[in-house]
Amino acid sequence: MSNLPKNQKGIPNIAVDLLVSEIFRKNGVNLNNAKSKLSDEQKTAIKELVEELSSQVDSFMNSNNEKR
Amino acid sequence: MASWKCSDCKQTNKEAQFSCSNCDSMGFLMLDNADEMEVERSMSKKRRRVDDATVSQGAGQVSILDQESDECIWIKDSCNITVKSHDTQAAVSLQVGLQLAIALVLSISLGDSDQGRAIAQEMFQKFDDTQTNVQKIYIENSKDCEIVTTDTDLSVNIQALLEVLVTLVARLDIF
């Protein structure tokens, strides 16, 4: 029972990108430092985690749209 | 001149002092003969001027998401009515999963530091929201109806969290 448009778009990518880089800049994060802390194993694990979560979100959004 | 009482030793101090003259504590308890707001304002100004003052805030105050879904469906004198109410529990657990993943990526890449916690807090703070969804449906004297209710506000929130997570891992060259 929603009055929102059927194909609800999320936040524009550029906004999220700006948000993340601004938070990093504000807190003085050295990205190269952070990158070097990640081992290949951790990278693979995180990659799998993100893929799993995005497929879950996709299927949730799809089931939402189907029901409407 | 307004005065205040130390919260540790109950010593009465003049308003102009910003730490207790007896025990050097900065906590104050009671305000006598004073406009409370005024004294509090001037006290906090003075405290800010102290160089070694620290601001501590628990990093656990992440993502306060207050969600209320009220659904009322009345069906009266009707037959063959189908009601489909979307399960928001799945959405909530998805959201928690996404927040956990963001916190995890930050904690691995930045170490378990105050900096990492501050960043995580800031990222979630963008999603501090209160959502109230009130749906009332009244059906009377009807036949063969199908009612579908969905909580779409939350799915937008989930998409936003996913975007933050994806941007974060892209920044860290994981993809």
Side-chain angles (χ1 to χ4, degrees):
Chain A
M1 209 202 67
S2 162
N3 295 324
L4 290 166
K6 278 211 165 182
N7 290 318
Q8 187 79 34
K9 293 254 163 41
I11 302 172
N13 275 338
I14 186 86
V16 182
D17 210 50
L18 266 173
L19 167 82
V20 172
S21 44
E22 171 61 16
I23 293 173
F24 277 160
R25 190 197 60 77
K26 213 170 98 185
N27 287 280
V29 172
N30 187 341
L31 267 182
N32 289 330
N33 229 343
K35 278 177 206 167
S36 64
K37 275 191 188 164
L38 287 164
S39 68
D40 285 345
E41 217 170 62
Q42 283 172 327
K43 280 190 182 181
T44 326
I46 291 172
K47 200 175 157 181
E48 274 169 24
L49 176 72
V50 173
E51 273 163 4
E52 170 68 29
L53 280 169
S54 55
S55 75
Q56 277 185 25
V57 170
D58 276 350
S59 61
F60 175 75
M61 298 303 294
N62 288 338
S63 72
N64 244 0
N65 288 335
E66 273 166 28
K67 290 198 173 184
R68 264 186 280 158
Chain B
M1 172 73 73
S3 59
W4 56 279
K5 267 187 186 167
C6 173
S7 59
D8 294 326
C9 69
K10 308 286 183 272
Q11 164 85 22
T12 306
N13 295 286
K14 289 222 166 67
E15 191 245 351
Q17 292 168 279
F18 54 80
S19 61
C20 176
S21 57
N22 187 33
C23 66
D24 219 35
S25 158
M26 300 228 292
F28 66 101
L29 191 66
M30 278 152 65
L31 304 157
D32 300 332
N33 322 315
D35 174 358
E36 292 198 12
M37 290 303 288
E38 186 53 47
V39 175
E40 214 159 326
R41 257 202 303 278
S42 65
M43 289 294 293
S44 59
K45 258 187 227 159
K46 286 191 178 88
R47 280 180 195 175
R48 247 177 270 141
R49 260 182 259 139
V50 182
D51 288 341
D52 57 358
T54 50
V55 178
S56 65
Q57 187 182 11
Q61 294 168 342
V62 292
S63 186
I64 302 152
L65 194 116
D66 187 10
Q67 217 196 2
E68 282 175 45
S69 276
D70 292 327
E71 213 171 56
C72 278
I73 301 174
W74 286 274
I75 298 171
K76 213 176 163 187
D77 305 331
S78 311
C79 74
N80 212 2
I81 311 286
T82 321
V83 178
K84 279 185 196 166
S85 187
H86 200 267
D87 183 14
T88 47
Q89 288 304 310
V92 172
S93 68
L94 249 183
Q95 176 172 342
V96 173
L98 284 163
Q99 285 179 342
L100 270 177
I102 292 175
L104 184 75
V105 171
L106 285 173
S107 121
I108 293 175
S109 55
L110 303 170
D112 187 21
S113 60
D114 281 347
Q115 189 192 39
R117 274 191 286 269
I119 292 174
Q121 184 178 8
E122 207 164 319
M123 287 196 178
F124 295 139
Q125 269 178 346
K126 307 291 173 189
F127 299 101
D128 270 11
D129 59 357
T130 310
Q131 290 176 349
T132 317
N133 221 1
V134 185
Q135 300 175 340
K136 287 196 172 79
I137 298 165
Y138 187 85
I139 292 176
E140 196 179 353
N141 257 336
S142 311
K143 184 178 172 279
D144 298 328
C145 285
E146 193 183 301
I147 307 158
V148 185
T149 69
T150 326
D151 191 348
T152 37
D153 300 343
L154 191 70
S155 27
V156 176
N157 205 359
I158 285 174
Q159 272 185 315
L161 273 175
L162 180 68
E163 279 175 44
V164 169
L165 180 64
V166 170
T167 312
L168 196 62
V169 293
R171 278 294 160 99
L172 291 165
D173 280 351
I174 290 171
F175 278 112

